[in-house]
Amino acid sequence: MKIVLESICKEFFSRGLRVEALKNISLEVEDGEFLTVLGPSGSGKSTLLFIIGGIEKASLGKVSFHGERRSSGPMSAMVWQQYALFPWRTVKENIIFGNEVRGIPKHERNRLADQFIELIQLKGFENHYPHELSGGMQQRVALARSLCNDPEILLMDEPLAALDAQTRTLMQLELLKIWSQFQKTVVYVTHSIEEAVLLGDRVVILTSRPGQIKEIVKIDLERPRTLDMMRSQAFHKISDLAWGAIQDELLKANSKK
Ligand code: ADP
Ligand code: MG
């Protein structure tokens, strides 16, 4: 599903103050693209995802989607840093939830859940509750729960930020593997330049508030991506470009605090 944003602006009013969160964002995300978004804190990254997901409305501008829309099922799914799993449901019950709500027949939703449990390598943990799992496992369940609903767009807001560095790296590679099988359009917000470059086809860099597009860096590293690539010259060259674009913005954002 292709996403087209045209001159998106978003302002919030809170306690009598007007906050301009996003300004004039025009962007096309290709069908099946993995787009990463970098920007200082407060630059409107989460707001941008909410607008694409239809959770927030843009103050100005237009969001449109090009591609076939299936009649059933949500079009987009969000994955957050907080895994937001239901603590009273087991792994399998969490993954099944969306299809239960959508009224998918029991044997079919069981089949789908089993397939996704296999995919996220949690076989044997189906009947565990979230508190019995590590952070990495919980995030895999959250990812499976989203994918199980067969969304056309996956919106991810710093989903791995709470994990330790090693688990995060493993999850990055796992996520890429899963994505390569499903070819969903992904918009992935992160504050890690390395993560943005390792995962993305392109990285969008936002300015400090109000968020505008500062630069879009194309990441022409081949796929599948590997950890070795992170040590390559090409990787460093792209990371340096991204770093160059974002560093002034980080300083600006910091001085506004
Ligand atoms: P980021 O995810 O890049 O850190 P956000 O999208 O969360 O940034 O927020 C961008 C700006 O909009 C911030 O200044 C934030 O305080 C403001 N903002 C976000 N959501 C709301 C809201 N619901 N009401 C008022 N202000 C908001
Ligand atoms: Mg945010």
Side-chain angles (χ1 to χ4, degrees), residues 23-87:
K23 193 170 169 180
N24 241 335
I25 304 279
S26 292
L27 178 67
E28 293 191 1
V29 191
E30 296 304 326
D31 185 22
E33 180 172 9
F34 200 122
L35 184 84
T36 50
V37 180
L38 274 174
S41 128
S43 61
K45 304 181 294 298
S46 298
T47 304
L48 186 67
L49 289 190
F50 286 151
I51 289 174
I52 296 172
I55 298 165
E56 287 276 3
K57 250 181 93 72
S59 309
L60 279 175
K62 193 175 147 200
V63 186
S64 50
F65 302 94
H66 297 200
E68 225 179 299
R69 256 190 212 221
R70 284 186 289 276
S71 53
S72 67
M75 208 181 65
S76 65
M78 289 227 36
V79 181
W80 282 278
Q81 180 181 329
Q82 308 79 355
Y83 319 118
L85 298 174
F86 300 121

